[in-house]
């Protein structure tokens, strides 16, 4: 099973690298197909500096919205560019715990008719 992770990003440079790294740290019985970071027309240097660091990671695709669409619109842009069998969403100011995707993959494998799953969060 391969997974695409979509991260909408707007002025999120201070958090984005940690969010992406938390996806790269995921382990389990799945393939991380890609991390799609959708820039929702950010205009700050901190976010653009983060993007420059991300382009060296081969599993990260950076897609730019030409105008601000909001987080839902940015997620939809990511979906249009995704190639994974399953899609996971992560906000740019959040991180995934170590086995977050793996737990969800286990549920998908156990319940064959599942169409979506979510999880708890720690604030």
């Amino acid at each position: 099973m391969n997974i695409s992770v979509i991260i909408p990003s707007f002025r999120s440079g201070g958090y984005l690298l940690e969010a992406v790294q938390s996806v790269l740290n995921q382990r389990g019985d799945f393939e991380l197909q890609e991390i799609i970071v959708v820039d929702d027309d950010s205009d700050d240097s901190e976010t653009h500096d983060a993007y420059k660091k991300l382009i060296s990671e081969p599993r990260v695709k950076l897609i730019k919205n030409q105008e601000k669409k909001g987080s839902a619109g940015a997620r939809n842009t990511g979906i249009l560019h995704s190639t994974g069998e399953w899609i996971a969403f992560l906000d740019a100011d959040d991180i995934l715990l170590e086995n977050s995707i793996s737990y969800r993959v286990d549920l998908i494998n156990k319940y064959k008719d599942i169409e979506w799953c979510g999880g708890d969060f720690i604030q």
Side-chain angles (χ1 to χ4, degrees):
M1 173 181 312
N2 56 51
I3 309 289
S4 296
V5 177
I6 297 173
I7 304 175
S9 173
F10 179 72
R11 296 182 185 164
S12 54
Y15 304 99
L16 183 60
L17 296 176
E18 188 176 10
V20 169
Q21 189 60 53
S22 77
V23 177
L24 293 171
N25 290 342
Q26 296 294 302
R27 299 291 179 257
D29 190 22
F30 65 91
E31 177 188 345
L32 178 60
Q33 182 77 14
E34 61 207 348
I35 302 169
I36 300 173
V37 176
V38 181
D39 173 30
D40 201 29
D41 201 26
S42 295
D43 56 3
D44 65 303
S45 61
E46 187 175 24
T47 300
H48 288 277
D49 289 344
Y51 295 156
K52 289 175 189 173
K53 293 176 183 173
L54 290 175
I55 59 173
S56 65
E57 170 54 55
R59 291 175 286 181
V60 173
K61 291 181 184 178
L62 181 58
I63 309 294
K64 180 168 177 46
N65 282 337
Q66 297 306 310
E67 59 184 39
K68 189 164 175 17
K69 296 183 179 182
S71 56
R75 285 184 189 94
N76 288 337
T77 297
I79 290 168
L80 292 173
H81 289 87
S82 67
T83 60
E85 295 173 82
W86 282 85
I87 295 171
F89 296 114
L90 180 65
D91 288 342
D93 61 348
D94 292 338
I95 59 170
L96 292 175
L97 296 177
E98 186 175 293
N99 292 313
S100 182
I101 294 176
S102 181
Y103 289 135
R104 287 160 178 79
V105 167
D106 290 346
L107 285 173
I108 292 166
N109 288 329
K110 183 176 180 181
Y111 301 101
K112 299 296 183 186
D113 59 346
I114 196 170
E115 295 181 9
W116 66 271
C117 62
D120 288 338
F121 64 93
I122 301 170
Q123 193 166 14

